[in-house]
Amino acid sequence: MAYIVDMRSDTVTKPTKAMKQAMVNSALGDDVYHEDPTVNALENKIATLLGKQAALFVPSGTMSNLIAIMVHCNKRGSEVIAGELSHIFRYEVGGAAHLAGVMLSNLPNEPDGTFDLKALERRFRGSDIHEPVTSLVAIENTHNVCGGKVLPLKWVDSLSELCQKHNIPIHMDGARLFNACEYLKESPARLVRDCASVSVCLSKGLAAPVGSALVGSYHFIEQARRVRKMLGGGMRQAGVLAAAAVVALDEVVPRLALDHKRAQVLAKVIEGLFLPSFKVDPASQHTNLVLVRIPGESSLTADRVVERLAQVSLSETQGDCKTPNDEGVILKVIQFDAKTIRFTLHVDITDEDLWLAIMKVTYVFKEMDAAAKSK
Ligand SMILES: *Cc1c(COP(=O)(O)O)cnc(C)c1O
Protein backbone atom coordinates (compact mmCIF):
# COMPACT_ATOMS: atom_id res chain seq x y z
CA MET A 1 0.00 0.00 0.00
CA ALA A 2 1.27 3.41 -0.93
CA TYR A 3 1.64 5.92 1.90
CA ILE A 4 -1.06 8.61 1.78
CA VAL A 5 -0.43 12.25 2.64
CA ASP A 6 -3.72 14.14 2.60
CA MET A 7 -3.29 17.86 2.01
CA ARG A 8 -6.67 18.48 0.37
CA SER A 9 -8.05 20.55 3.21
CA ASP A 10 -7.80 21.19 6.93
CA THR A 11 -11.33 19.72 7.12
CA VAL A 12 -9.81 16.22 6.87
CA THR A 13 -8.28 16.54 10.34
CA LYS A 14 -9.47 13.97 12.85
CA PRO A 15 -10.19 14.56 16.53
CA THR A 16 -7.19 14.04 18.80
CA LYS A 17 -7.04 11.51 21.66
CA ALA A 18 -7.77 14.23 24.18
CA MET A 19 -10.83 15.26 22.17
CA LYS A 20 -12.18 11.71 22.07
CA GLN A 21 -11.60 11.42 25.81
CA ALA A 22 -13.48 14.66 26.40
CA MET A 23 -16.33 13.45 24.19
CA VAL A 24 -16.70 10.23 26.17
CA ASN A 25 -16.70 12.09 29.47
CA SER A 26 -18.84 15.06 28.45
CA ALA A 27 -21.81 16.16 30.54
CA LEU A 28 -24.87 16.26 28.29
CA GLY A 29 -28.36 17.70 28.09
CA ASP A 30 -30.87 18.89 25.51
CA ASP A 31 -29.32 21.89 23.80
CA VAL A 32 -32.59 23.01 22.21
CA TYR A 33 -33.75 23.58 25.82
CA HIS A 34 -30.38 25.26 26.36
CA GLU A 35 -29.58 22.52 28.88
CA ASP A 36 -26.40 20.99 27.51
CA PRO A 37 -23.68 22.11 29.91
CA THR A 38 -20.88 21.29 27.47
CA VAL A 39 -22.41 23.28 24.61
CA ASN A 40 -23.03 26.16 27.02
CA ALA A 41 -19.40 26.00 28.15
CA LEU A 42 -18.15 26.05 24.56
CA GLU A 43 -20.40 28.97 23.66
CA ASN A 44 -19.27 30.97 26.69
CA LYS A 45 -15.64 30.17 26.04
CA ILE A 46 -15.65 31.25 22.42
CA ALA A 47 -17.75 34.37 23.06
CA THR A 48 -15.24 35.46 25.71
CA LEU A 49 -12.31 34.66 23.45
CA LEU A 50 -13.76 36.88 20.73
CA GLY A 51 -14.78 39.64 23.13
CA LYS A 52 -18.48 39.31 22.30
CA GLN A 53 -21.55 38.75 24.46
CA ALA A 54 -22.74 35.39 23.17
CA ALA A 55 -22.16 32.49 20.79
CA LEU A 56 -24.10 29.69 19.14
CA PHE A 57 -22.78 26.22 18.27
CA VAL A 58 -23.95 25.28 14.77
CA PRO A 59 -23.45 22.22 12.55
CA SER A 60 -21.37 23.91 9.82
CA GLY A 61 -19.75 27.10 8.61
CA THR A 62 -22.22 27.28 5.76
CA MET A 63 -25.15 27.26 8.16
CA SER A 64 -23.39 29.75 10.39
CA ASN A 65 -22.96 32.27 7.57
CA LEU A 66 -26.53 31.71 6.39
CA ILE A 67 -27.93 32.31 9.88
CA ALA A 68 -25.91 35.52 10.14
CA ILE A 69 -27.30 36.69 6.81
CA MET A 70 -30.86 35.80 7.82
CA VAL A 71 -30.61 37.71 11.09
CA HIS A 72 -28.94 40.82 9.65
CA CYS A 73 -31.15 40.87 6.54
CA ASN A 74 -34.52 39.97 7.97
CA LYS A 75 -36.35 41.75 5.15
CA ARG A 76 -36.59 39.69 1.97
CA GLY A 77 -34.98 41.33 -1.04
CA SER A 78 -32.30 43.08 0.99
CA GLU A 79 -28.71 42.95 -0.13
CA VAL A 80 -25.42 41.60 1.20
CA ILE A 81 -22.19 42.89 -0.31
CA ALA A 82 -19.31 40.40 -0.34
CA GLY A 83 -16.12 39.85 -2.31
CA GLU A 84 -16.56 37.93 -5.56
CA LEU A 85 -14.00 35.37 -4.33
CA SER A 86 -15.67 34.89 -0.95
CA HIS A 87 -16.84 31.51 0.30
CA ILE A 88 -20.30 32.98 0.89
CA PHE A 89 -20.58 34.01 -2.75
CA ARG A 90 -18.89 31.02 -4.35
CA TYR A 91 -19.35 27.93 -2.26
CA GLU A 92 -22.54 28.16 -0.23
CA VAL A 93 -24.94 26.94 -2.89
CA GLY A 94 -26.62 30.33 -3.18
CA GLY A 95 -28.32 29.68 0.16
CA ALA A 96 -28.75 33.40 0.79
CA ALA A 97 -30.90 33.68 -2.35
CA HIS A 98 -32.61 30.31 -2.08
CA LEU A 99 -33.42 30.21 1.60
CA ALA A 100 -33.20 33.80 2.83
CA GLY A 101 -34.54 35.71 -0.18
CA VAL A 102 -31.46 37.90 0.10
CA MET A 103 -29.42 39.02 -2.89
CA LEU A 104 -25.67 38.69 -2.85
CA SER A 105 -23.88 41.53 -4.60
CA ASN A 106 -20.20 41.20 -5.14
CA LEU A 107 -17.17 43.43 -5.46
CA PRO A 108 -13.90 42.38 -7.09
CA ASN A 109 -11.41 41.10 -4.52
CA GLU A 110 -7.86 42.42 -4.45
CA PRO A 111 -5.20 39.68 -4.27
CA ASP A 112 -4.94 40.30 -0.50
CA GLY A 113 -8.61 39.43 0.12
CA THR A 114 -9.74 43.03 0.58
CA PHE A 115 -11.88 45.12 -1.76
CA ASP A 116 -11.82 48.75 -2.72
CA LEU A 117 -13.58 50.83 -0.06
CA LYS A 118 -14.44 53.70 -2.40
CA ALA A 119 -16.08 51.21 -4.75
CA LEU A 120 -17.90 49.73 -1.75
CA GLU A 121 -19.24 53.10 -0.65
CA ARG A 122 -20.57 53.78 -4.15
CA ARG A 123 -22.42 50.48 -3.97
CA PHE A 124 -24.35 51.16 -0.75
CA ARG A 125 -27.97 51.71 -1.63
CA GLY A 126 -31.48 51.79 -0.31
CA SER A 127 -32.36 55.48 -0.10
CA ASP A 128 -34.08 55.40 -3.51
CA ILE A 129 -37.42 53.60 -3.85
CA HIS A 130 -36.07 51.63 -6.83
CA GLU A 131 -33.21 50.07 -4.91
CA PRO A 132 -32.77 47.03 -2.70
CA VAL A 133 -31.50 47.92 0.77
CA THR A 134 -27.86 47.11 1.51
CA SER A 135 -28.08 45.46 4.92
CA LEU A 136 -24.75 43.72 5.46
CA VAL A 137 -21.13 43.66 4.36
CA ALA A 138 -19.41 40.27 4.60
CA ILE A 139 -15.64 39.83 4.79
CA GLU A 140 -13.50 36.70 4.99
CA ASN A 141 -10.47 36.23 7.27
CA THR A 142 -8.29 34.40 6.42
CA HIS A 143 -9.28 34.57 2.78
CA ASN A 144 -9.42 31.08 1.33
CA VAL A 145 -9.41 31.68 -2.44
CA CYS A 146 -6.76 34.39 -2.04
CA GLY A 147 -4.51 31.71 -0.57
CA GLY A 148 -5.14 31.98 3.17
CA LYS A 149 -4.38 35.70 3.19
CA VAL A 150 -4.87 37.65 6.38
CA LEU A 151 -6.83 40.87 5.93
CA PRO A 152 -4.71 43.88 6.91
CA LEU A 153 -6.01 45.15 10.26
CA LYS A 154 -5.84 48.73 9.00
CA TRP A 155 -8.14 47.90 6.12
CA VAL A 156 -10.65 46.21 8.44
CA ASP A 157 -10.55 49.31 10.67
CA SER A 158 -11.18 51.63 7.70
CA LEU A 159 -14.01 49.38 6.51
CA SER A 160 -15.55 49.54 9.99
CA GLU A 161 -15.42 53.31 10.00
CA LEU A 162 -17.13 53.45 6.63
CA CYS A 163 -19.80 50.94 7.61
CA GLN A 164 -20.47 52.72 10.91
CA LYS A 165 -20.99 55.95 8.99
CA HIS A 166 -23.64 54.23 6.87
CA ASN A 167 -25.00 52.16 9.73
CA ILE A 168 -24.36 48.83 7.97
CA PRO A 169 -23.19 45.87 10.07
CA ILE A 170 -20.18 43.70 9.16
CA HIS A 171 -20.16 39.92 9.29
CA MET A 172 -16.79 38.20 9.33
CA ASP A 173 -16.55 34.71 7.88
CA GLY A 174 -13.67 33.75 10.14
CA ALA A 175 -13.58 30.08 9.20
CA ARG A 176 -9.81 30.33 9.78
CA LEU A 177 -9.84 33.29 12.18
CA PHE A 178 -7.28 31.74 14.53
CA ASN A 179 -4.83 31.37 11.65
CA ALA A 180 -5.20 35.11 11.07
CA CYS A 181 -4.59 35.81 14.78
CA GLU A 182 -1.47 33.67 14.71
CA TYR A 183 -0.10 35.52 11.71
CA LEU A 184 -0.80 39.00 13.09
CA LYS A 185 0.07 38.05 16.69
CA GLU A 186 -3.15 39.79 17.69
CA SER A 187 -6.00 38.55 19.88
CA PRO A 188 -9.16 37.28 18.19
CA ALA A 189 -11.09 39.97 20.07
CA ARG A 190 -9.03 42.67 18.38
CA LEU A 191 -9.49 41.18 14.92
CA VAL A 192 -13.29 41.05 15.22
CA ARG A 193 -13.70 44.19 17.36
CA ASP A 194 -15.96 46.03 14.94
CA CYS A 195 -17.80 43.05 13.45
CA ALA A 196 -21.42 42.60 14.48
CA SER A 197 -21.09 38.86 13.94
CA VAL A 198 -18.33 36.33 13.33
CA SER A 199 -18.38 32.73 12.19
CA VAL A 200 -15.51 30.47 13.24
CA CYS A 201 -14.95 26.89 12.02
CA LEU A 202 -14.07 24.40 14.73
CA SER A 203 -13.72 21.45 12.37
CA LYS A 204 -11.05 22.82 10.03
CA GLY A 205 -7.55 23.44 11.30
CA LEU A 206 -8.81 23.15 14.86
CA ALA A 207 -9.55 19.45 14.24
CA ALA A 208 -12.84 19.14 16.11
CA PRO A 209 -15.04 16.60 14.30
CA VAL A 210 -18.06 18.82 13.56
CA GLY A 211 -19.23 22.37 13.95
CA SER A 212 -18.77 26.10 13.78
CA ALA A 213 -19.53 28.88 16.21
CA LEU A 214 -21.48 32.02 15.39
CA VAL A 215 -20.63 34.89 17.71
CA GLY A 216 -22.25 38.28 18.38
CA SER A 217 -24.38 40.29 20.82
CA TYR A 218 -26.98 38.71 23.14
CA HIS A 219 -29.72 40.13 20.95
CA PHE A 220 -28.14 38.82 17.73
CA ILE A 221 -27.57 35.32 19.13
CA GLU A 222 -31.10 35.16 20.52
CA GLN A 223 -32.43 35.65 16.99
CA ALA A 224 -29.78 33.34 15.53
CA ARG A 225 -30.96 30.58 17.87
CA ARG A 226 -34.45 30.76 16.37
CA VAL A 227 -33.10 30.74 12.82
CA ARG A 228 -30.86 27.77 13.60
CA LYS A 229 -33.96 25.88 14.82
CA MET A 230 -35.84 26.83 11.65
CA LEU A 231 -33.03 25.53 9.44
CA GLY A 232 -33.03 22.22 11.29
CA GLY A 233 -29.78 22.91 13.09
CA GLY A 234 -31.15 22.55 16.61
CA MET A 235 -29.10 19.61 17.89
CA ARG A 236 -29.98 17.81 21.10
CA GLN A 237 -27.09 16.25 23.09
CA ALA A 238 -24.63 18.24 21.01
CA GLY A 239 -22.25 18.43 23.97
CA VAL A 240 -20.67 15.25 22.67
CA LEU A 241 -19.40 17.38 19.75
CA ALA A 242 -18.87 20.59 21.69
CA ALA A 243 -16.59 18.72 24.12
CA ALA A 244 -14.11 18.13 21.32
CA ALA A 245 -14.32 21.76 20.25
CA VAL A 246 -13.47 22.97 23.78
CA VAL A 247 -10.32 20.85 23.68
CA ALA A 248 -9.56 22.11 20.15
CA LEU A 249 -9.50 25.71 21.37
CA ASP A 250 -7.04 24.85 24.15
CA GLU A 251 -4.94 22.24 22.43
CA VAL A 252 -4.89 22.95 18.71
CA VAL A 253 -5.04 26.75 18.42
CA PRO A 254 -1.60 27.21 20.04
CA ARG A 255 0.03 24.91 17.47
CA LEU A 256 -1.30 26.59 14.29
CA ALA A 257 2.03 28.39 13.94
CA LEU A 258 3.59 25.05 13.09
CA ASP A 259 1.26 24.63 10.09
CA HIS A 260 2.26 28.09 8.88
CA LYS A 261 5.96 27.23 9.20
CA ARG A 262 5.53 23.97 7.34
CA ALA A 263 3.54 25.70 4.60
CA GLN A 264 6.48 28.09 4.20
CA VAL A 265 8.92 25.18 3.96
CA LEU A 266 6.83 23.52 1.25
CA ALA A 267 6.45 26.76 -0.73
CA LYS A 268 10.16 27.54 -0.49
CA VAL A 269 11.10 24.08 -1.73
CA ILE A 270 8.78 24.46 -4.72
CA GLU A 271 10.15 27.94 -5.41
CA GLY A 272 13.68 26.54 -5.19
CA LEU A 273 12.99 24.02 -7.94
CA PHE A 274 12.93 26.96 -10.41
CA LEU A 275 10.53 25.10 -12.70
CA PRO A 276 8.82 27.37 -15.26
CA SER A 277 5.57 25.36 -15.00
CA PHE A 278 5.07 25.80 -11.24
CA LYS A 279 4.97 29.15 -9.47
CA VAL A 280 4.58 29.91 -5.77
CA ASP A 281 4.97 33.11 -3.80
CA PRO A 282 6.20 32.25 -0.29
CA ALA A 283 6.70 35.92 0.58
CA SER A 284 3.00 36.69 0.24
CA GLN A 285 1.87 33.42 1.80
CA HIS A 286 0.54 34.15 5.27
CA THR A 287 -0.87 30.98 6.78
CA ASN A 288 -1.45 27.25 6.18
CA LEU A 289 -2.48 27.29 2.51
CA VAL A 290 -0.01 26.95 -0.36
CA LEU A 291 -1.22 27.94 -3.82
CA VAL A 292 0.78 26.68 -6.78
CA ARG A 293 0.00 28.40 -10.06
CA ILE A 294 0.69 27.10 -13.54
CA PRO A 295 1.51 30.02 -15.86
CA GLY A 296 -0.98 30.62 -18.68
CA GLU A 297 1.52 29.77 -21.39
CA SER A 298 2.11 26.27 -20.00
CA SER A 299 0.11 23.43 -21.54
CA LEU A 300 -0.29 21.86 -18.08
CA THR A 301 -3.59 22.02 -16.24
CA ALA A 302 -4.23 21.74 -12.51
CA ASP A 303 -6.49 18.70 -12.80
CA ARG A 304 -3.71 16.69 -14.48
CA VAL A 305 -1.22 17.64 -11.79
CA VAL A 306 -3.66 16.75 -9.00
CA GLU A 307 -4.31 13.40 -10.67
CA ARG A 308 -0.59 12.67 -11.12
CA LEU A 309 0.24 13.48 -7.48
CA ALA A 310 -2.34 10.90 -6.44
CA GLN A 311 -0.72 8.17 -8.55
CA VAL A 312 2.43 6.15 -7.96
CA SER A 313 4.44 5.37 -11.09
CA LEU A 314 6.54 2.25 -11.52
CA SER A 315 9.76 4.27 -11.51
CA GLU A 316 8.85 5.81 -8.15
CA THR A 317 8.71 2.38 -6.51
CA GLN A 318 11.93 1.29 -8.19
CA GLY A 319 14.06 3.65 -6.21
CA ASP A 320 13.70 7.01 -7.91
CA CYS A 321 11.56 8.40 -5.12
CA LYS A 322 12.32 6.35 -2.02
CA THR A 323 9.67 6.08 0.66
CA PRO A 324 9.61 4.25 4.00
CA ASN A 325 7.94 1.12 2.63
CA ASP A 326 9.15 1.49 -0.98
CA GLU A 327 5.58 1.55 -2.22
CA GLY A 328 5.46 5.20 -3.04
CA VAL A 329 3.49 8.17 -1.80
CA ILE A 330 0.03 9.29 -2.79
CA LEU A 331 -0.25 13.02 -2.26
CA LYS A 332 -3.81 14.31 -2.18
CA VAL A 333 -4.30 17.98 -2.99
CA ILE A 334 -7.11 19.92 -4.68
CA GLN A 335 -7.57 21.88 -7.85
CA PHE A 336 -8.62 25.48 -7.12
CA ASP A 337 -9.14 26.55 -10.70
CA ALA A 338 -7.89 25.39 -14.12
CA LYS A 339 -4.35 26.60 -13.35
CA THR A 340 -4.15 26.59 -9.56
CA ILE A 341 -3.48 23.80 -7.07
CA ARG A 342 -3.99 24.16 -3.31
CA PHE A 343 -1.95 22.37 -0.63
CA THR A 344 -3.22 22.63 2.94
CA LEU A 345 -1.09 22.10 6.04
CA HIS A 346 -2.86 20.92 9.18
CA VAL A 347 -2.43 19.14 12.51
CA ASP A 348 -2.47 15.64 10.99
CA ILE A 349 0.51 16.41 8.75
CA THR A 350 3.68 15.49 10.62
CA ASP A 351 7.24 16.46 9.77
CA GLU A 352 7.67 13.05 8.15
CA ASP A 353 4.52 13.57 6.03
CA LEU A 354 5.84 16.95 4.97
CA TRP A 355 9.15 15.40 3.99
CA LEU A 356 7.43 12.69 1.94
CA ALA A 357 5.18 15.27 0.29
CA ILE A 358 8.22 17.34 -0.63
CA MET A 359 9.92 14.32 -2.22
CA LYS A 360 6.77 13.49 -4.16
CA VAL A 361 6.16 17.06 -5.32
CA THR A 362 9.77 17.43 -6.39
CA TYR A 363 9.64 14.22 -8.39
CA VAL A 364 6.29 14.85 -10.05
CA PHE A 365 6.82 18.56 -10.74
CA LYS A 366 10.18 17.88 -12.41
CA GLU A 367 8.66 15.09 -14.46
CA MET A 368 5.68 17.17 -15.58
CA ASP A 369 7.73 20.29 -16.24
CA ALA A 370 10.13 18.32 -18.44
CA ALA A 371 7.22 16.75 -20.34
CA ALA A 372 5.56 20.15 -20.81
CA LYS A 373 8.83 21.56 -22.20
CA SER A 374 9.40 18.76 -24.70
CA LYS A 375 5.98 19.40 -26.28
C1 LIG B 1 -14.95 25.93 4.98
C2 LIG B 1 -15.38 27.31 4.92
C3 LIG B 1 -16.70 27.66 5.23
C4 LIG B 1 -17.82 26.67 5.46
O1 LIG B 1 -17.62 25.66 6.29
P1 LIG B 1 -18.44 24.27 6.25
O2 LIG B 1 -18.38 23.87 7.66
O3 LIG B 1 -17.69 23.39 5.33
O4 LIG B 1 -19.83 24.55 5.79
C5 LIG B 1 -17.02 29.00 5.21
N1 LIG B 1 -16.11 29.93 4.89
C6 LIG B 1 -14.85 29.63 4.58
C7 LIG B 1 -13.89 30.72 4.25
C8 LIG B 1 -14.43 28.31 4.58
O5 LIG B 1 -13.17 28.02 4.25
Side-chain angles (χ1 to χ4, degrees), residues 32-295:
V32 172
Y33 294 148
H34 221 161
E35 284 174 5
D36 188 298
T38 310
V39 172
N40 292 343
L42 170 67
E43 290 177 347
N44 288 333
K45 189 177 176 77
I46 196 149
T48 304
L49 209 53
L50 268 62
K52 303 286 181 203
Q53 289 174 340
L56 187 68
F57 184 50
V58 294
S60 71
T62 300
M63 188 186 284
S64 191
N65 285 332
L66 177 63
I67 293 172
I69 288 171
M70 290 180 101
V71 173
H72 290 299
C73 310
N74 57 7
K75 285 208 182 73
R76 292 178 68 81
S78 49
E79 171 188 62
V80 177
I81 301 182
E84 66 179 359
L85 301 180
S86 65
H87 197 279
I88 287 180
F89 185 66
R90 286 193 144 197
Y91 302 128
E92 298 186 5
V93 210
H98 194 127
L99 298 162
V102 167
M103 67 184 279
L104 292 177
S105 289
N106 64 80
L107 279 175
N109 276 112
E110 304 293 337
D112 66 355
T114 64
F115 36 76
D116 185 69
L117 294 182
K118 290 211 176 70
L120 174 68
E121 191 168 25
R122 285 195 295 274
R123 291 283 291 278
F124 287 152
R125 47 191 185 159
S127 53
D128 185 300
I129 192 174
H130 301 84
E131 295 172 341
V133 180
T134 306
S135 304
L136 182 68
V137 171
I139 57 176
E140 188 172 312
N141 208 8
T142 67
H143 200 293
N144 177 25
V145 173
C146 291
K149 288 275 169 52
V150 178
L151 299 176
L153 206 44
K154 257 190 163 162
W155 179 81
V156 178
D157 288 349
S158 308
L159 170 73
S160 310
E161 233 173 80
L162 179 66
C163 288
Q164 267 161 26
K165 195 173 99 189
H166 292 268
N167 210 10
I168 297 172
I170 300 171
H171 171 70
M172 184 186 285
D173 176 356
R176 298 186 177 86
L177 176 70
F178 292 107
N179 294 89
C181 296
E182 173 53 44
Y183 177 75
L184 292 175
K185 307 276 183 235
E186 287 281 358
S187 70
R190 172 64 186 90
L191 263 69
V192 307
R193 188 186 67 193
D194 300 317
C195 297
S197 56
V198 187
S199 172
V200 184
C201 278
L202 302 160
S203 67
K204 285 204 163 132
L206 269 50
V210 176
S212 282
L214 180 61
V215 188
S217 67
Y218 290 126
H219 182 62
F220 173 85
I221 292 298
E222 199 176 86
Q223 297 171 82
R225 199 174 286 280
R226 289 185 77 90
V227 175
R228 181 186 68 174
K229 192 77 188 77
M230 179 175 75
L231 294 174
M235 300 180 285
R236 301 295 178 173
Q237 284 73 41
V240 79
L241 299 172
V246 170
V247 175
L249 289 171
D250 291 332
E251 187 186 70
V252 189
V253 170
R255 63 151 306 286
L256 289 174
L258 197 53
D259 297 336
H260 298 186
K261 263 192 207 136
R262 288 175 175 152
Q264 276 296 325
V265 170
L266 177 60
K268 283 189 176 138
V269 168
I270 295 170
E271 185 185 45
L273 297 174
F274 295 107
L275 299 171
S277 299
F278 300 99
K279 300 288 175 206
V280 284
D281 187 7
S284 73
Q285 178 182 302
H286 294 169
T287 57
N288 64 324
L289 307 181
V290 180
L291 296 190
V292 177
R293 297 187 201 276
I294 303 165

